[in-house]
Amino acid sequence: MSTFTSRFVGCAPFTDQKPGTAGLRKRVTVFLQPHYLETFVQAALTSLGLPAGATLVLGGDGRYHNRAAARTILRLAAANGVGRVIVGRGGLLSTPAASHLIRARRADGGFLLTASHNPGGPDGDFGVKFNTRTGGQAPEELSAAVYAATTRLTGYRIADLPEVDLDRTGQHDLGGFVVEVVDPVDDYQALLATLFDFDRLRDWFRAGHRLRFDAMHGITGPYARRIFVDTLGAAPDSILRGDPREDFGGLHPDPNPVDAAELVAMAAGAAPPDLLAASDGDGDRNMILGPGCVVSPGDSVAVLLANLRHVPGYAGGVPGVARSMPTSRALDAVAARLGLPCYETPTGWRFFCNLLEAGRIGLCGEESFGTGSSHVREKDGLWAVLMWLSIVSATGQGVADVLAAHWASYGRHRFQRRDY
């Protein structure tokens, strides 16, 4: 029996809460309007059809309003009959880590507080996305149902809860509603340890090879430090901008040659590291570089497929692959030689989720610097870096040599993206 009280707060519906392919993203000032966050989350809780006493996962990329929004969602969840919320310490979880946690803990879904690669801070963007029990993004029909609910709601239910210390791991029983604060890295790192040969990667670093990973003051800094430095033995200075900040240090946390120009310059400079990489605000995108070269996203996913045999977790191959429509056909060429189906999807990661859930693919990628596999149901930046580390450590080749060998075998594919 619950010992907290809940109440109904009446308000007029909003007309601008239609989710995109990855949740609702708006300016921070929009989310700070009275009732705005509450009504959208209420619409999602109403539409998800959760069982009584459901378990949810909650966390975000640490951008401005992350912590306050997490506390509000806890109160909404309690008032709507949710039994347990698993939240990352400090209200933090990378998007791929949250996807894995939903699956590993058999949760009924999750709320992710992120606007991905959009700028943060009081004048930046904020976002809320809801993932299903598969760990994947909400399908179109669910997003449509949530939007319809936002246009009809006359208010929301919210609980009066004592404040939980989100900075201390442990379980807090609030009388019929449990808040479980977990280390945001532990479960995700344990998953990666089942996929990659960490001993071989340690040997690569012991041999004097160097990595530079730019977390762009997003969520991946603590993950990268734990995995690359503490576990694999990379030098401490391997991590650039590793402390998450509410405004991402004033950066646009998008891993591409324009917004990560410093990394590109480092790759082209004197004595560059053997492998350079960056990830975005919530940790799902990646950019890979080597001395004198930047790997295009279309080439990256194709190279990964051609070299899966070097990664223990994928030694048995994959049932198929997929790319988004704007992505180059480099992946198609490798799939054809391997006799694998290669699917073309509309833009939006949730379309990959359909194929992953059906067991038709095990690897996928898109031209907007997103790559992933069946290990989670989101794209995964750190995973992609570990894939490339596995390839260069197993082959003994540098990034540029891996690319040159790939082009010599499969041809070179080019594409252009123009934004207006």
Side-chain angles (χ1 to χ4, degrees):
M1 178 131 183
S2 61
T3 56
F4 57 85
T5 60
S6 62
R7 52 194 166 88
F8 180 80
V9 178
C11 65
F14 292 89
T15 60
D16 64 341
Q17 294 188 331
K18 185 174 184 178
T21 57
L24 182 68
R25 294 180 189 173
K26 299 284 183 181
R27 303 288 288 182
V28 168
T29 51
V30 174
F31 269 101
L32 290 179
Q33 295 177 89
H35 313 302
Y36 195 87
L37 171 66
E38 291 89 342
T39 54
F40 182 73
V41 173
Q42 179 66 66
L45 290 168
T46 300
S47 304
L48 284 168
L50 298 173
T55 296
L56 295 177
V57 167
L58 173 64
D61 59 19
R63 67 178 58 236
Y64 185 85
H65 197 48
N66 188 118
R67 184 179 290 258
R71 293 195 179 282
T72 297
I73 292 174
L74 288 174
R75 297 172 63 202
L76 290 161
N80 281 271
V82 172
R84 177 184 295 265
V85 175
I86 304 166
V87 57
R89 186 176 57 231
L92 302 178
L93 276 174
S94 77
T95 289
S99 177
H100 171 59
L101 199 56
I102 292 170
R103 293 164 59 80
R105 297 293 297 271
R106 298 183 179 179
D108 297 288
F111 284 97
L112 282 64
L113 309 177
T114 176
S116 188
H117 55 290
N118 293 16
D123 299 319
D125 293 338
F126 189 74
V128 179
K129 57 184 288 191
F130 42 92
N131 285 27
T132 67
R133 67 186 60 199
T134 69
Q137 296 176 7
E140 287 182 286
E141 58 269 22
L142 178 55
S143 295
V146 171
Y147 176 55
T150 66
T151 66
R152 297 191 302 264
L153 285 179
T154 58
Y156 52 89
R157 294 206 64 82
I158 193 162
D160 297 311
L161 296 177
E163 190 165 292
V164 172
D165 184 359
L166 295 181
D167 295 314
R168 181 171 57 88
T169 57
Q171 185 165 291
H172 308 268
D173 192 336
L174 305 180
F177 178 65
V178 175
V179 178
E180 182 182 351
V181 181
V182 299
D183 183 289
V185 182
D186 283 349
D187 288 270
Y188 175 73
Q189 180 176 2
L191 170 66
L192 296 182
T194 68
L195 302 175
F196 299 101
D197 186 343
F198 277 9
D199 287 335
R200 188 175 72 202
L201 296 182
R202 287 189 191 95
D203 290 341
W204 189 78
F205 283 113
R206 286 195 194 103
H209 293 106
R210 295 183 297 138
L211 167 74
R212 287 294 183 278
F213 177 82
D214 190 351
M216 306 187 84
H217 290 307
I219 188 63
T220 52
Y223 292 80
R225 189 162 300 282
R226 179 88 64 85
I227 295 168
F228 296 137
V229 177
D230 298 344
T231 301
L232 300 181
D237 65 359
S238 298
I239 313 302
L240 306 176
R241 289 181 274 265
D243 56 316
R245 297 185 184 179
E246 289 189 338
D247 65 347
F248 303 118
L251 300 174
H252 186 169
D254 193 355
N256 63 64
V258 174
D259 295 303
E262 182 178 337
L263 209 61
V264 175
M266 191 179 299
D274 299 278
L275 190 144
L276 306 92
S279 191
D280 66 336
D282 69 328
D284 61 358
R285 298 185 183 213
N286 74 90
M287 181 174 68
I288 304 295
L289 310 90
C293 69
V294 178
V295 183
S296 80
D299 279 344
S300 184
V301 67
V303 169
L304 297 189
L305 177 61
N307 290 274
L308 282 181
R309 64 189 182 279
H310 298 307
V311 187
Y314 302 90
V318 292
V321 295
R323 60 167 176 81
S324 64
M325 180 276 293
T327 304
S328 80
R329 297 190 177 186
L331 182 64
D332 304 50
V334 181
R337 186 175 299 182
L338 297 177
L340 295 174
C342 182
Y343 300 91
E344 182 181 83
T345 71
T347 299
W349 200 263
R350 64 187 178 196
F351 298 108
F352 291 136
C353 292
N354 297 336
L355 293 166
L356 288 165
E357 286 305 310
R360 294 188 178 186
I361 64 171
L363 181 72
C364 46
E366 58 187 10
E367 49 79 36
S368 55
F369 293 88
T371 324
S373 86
S374 53
H375 72 294
V376 292
R377 296 297 182 265
E378 293 275 5
K379 46 186 175 274
D380 191 345
L382 283 177
W383 166 90
V385 179
L386 286 164
M387 291 289 284
W388 270 92
L389 283 174
S390 297
I391 292 169
V392 297
S393 65
T395 62
Q397 296 178 310
V399 173
D401 295 327
V402 170
L403 278 178
H406 184 86
W407 293 333
S409 182
Y410 295 98
R412 188 167 186 179
H413 294 75
R414 299 177 184 268
F415 78 102
Q416 287 186 337
R417 168 177 168 165
R418 300 188 181 189
D419 296 309
Y420 297 91

